[in-house]
Amino acid sequence: MAKPVAAGSPAAPEKKGKKKTFKKKERKHVSHGIAHIQASFNNTIVTIADQAGNVLSWKSSGSLGFRGSRKGTPFAAQQAASNAAVMARDHGVRSVEVRVSGPGSGRESAIRALAASGIEVRNIKDATPIPHNGCRPPKRRRV
């Protein structure tokens, strides 16, 4: 049987141990970065990295709450780019080199949003992979 607790004493003894310490999020000081914009038909992902390729910030249309076919729209790409730019500016990014890949409709609006958010766009490179000989064609149709 459990012993009855006295009226003056607390129900559980207070713990006297180490307090939890949380590591503060590291802020890098990078002045020039690379912005990778991956624009597919269904989504747009904007990633801003430093020159070595370490990611500073990223956003996608899906992570902002856009669902379904709205993720592939130019407006969703614009929102993703501006949010990623705000996060990158906290790391000290002032200018970026933009690399765009994919056939999506959010390509142009994402670049415009980066420029409008106060980050200087130095140059734009299309990094869309292009097949040189392509896949093997399907076999000849017999009727």
Side-chain angles (χ1 to χ4, degrees):
M1 272 193 114
K3 292 181 185 178
V5 179
S9 67
E14 288 187 36
K15 292 182 182 177
K16 292 183 181 177
K18 284 191 268 179
K19 280 192 171 183
K20 278 192 177 179
T21 56
F22 296 102
K23 195 169 90 173
K24 193 176 179 187
K25 206 166 192 182
E26 186 182 335
R27 290 277 176 233
K28 299 173 182 134
H29 297 291
V30 182
S31 60
H32 184 69
I34 302 170
H36 298 273
I37 298 171
Q38 211 273 310
S40 69
F41 291 120
N42 297 321
N43 203 353
T44 304
I45 304 168
V46 180
T47 308
I48 300 175
D50 61 7
Q51 295 284 41
N54 303 315
V55 174
L56 302 172
S57 67
W58 69 274
K59 278 288 177 211
S60 69
S61 301
S63 72
L64 293 175
F66 291 96
R67 287 281 156 248
S69 61
R70 287 193 304 245
K71 284 193 298 185
T73 60
F75 177 71
Q78 177 185 341
Q79 295 293 312
S82 62
N83 282 17
V86 166
M87 288 170 61
R89 272 210 320 266
D90 294 344
H91 290 289
V93 176
R94 288 194 301 272
S95 63
V96 289
E97 181 182 314
V98 178
R99 292 186 185 158
V100 188
S101 71
S105 60
R107 295 163 56 107
E108 308 298 323
S109 60
I111 297 169
R112 284 200 183 97
L114 280 175
S117 65
I119 292 180
E120 179 196 346
V121 176
R122 288 236 178 118
N123 63 357
I124 301 166
K125 182 183 176 190
D126 191 353
T128 306
I130 300 167
H132 288 286
N133 203 8
C135 302
R136 183 175 174 171
K139 64 183 181 183
R140 198 178 128 260
R141 191 166 166 261
R142 291 187 294 245
V143 179

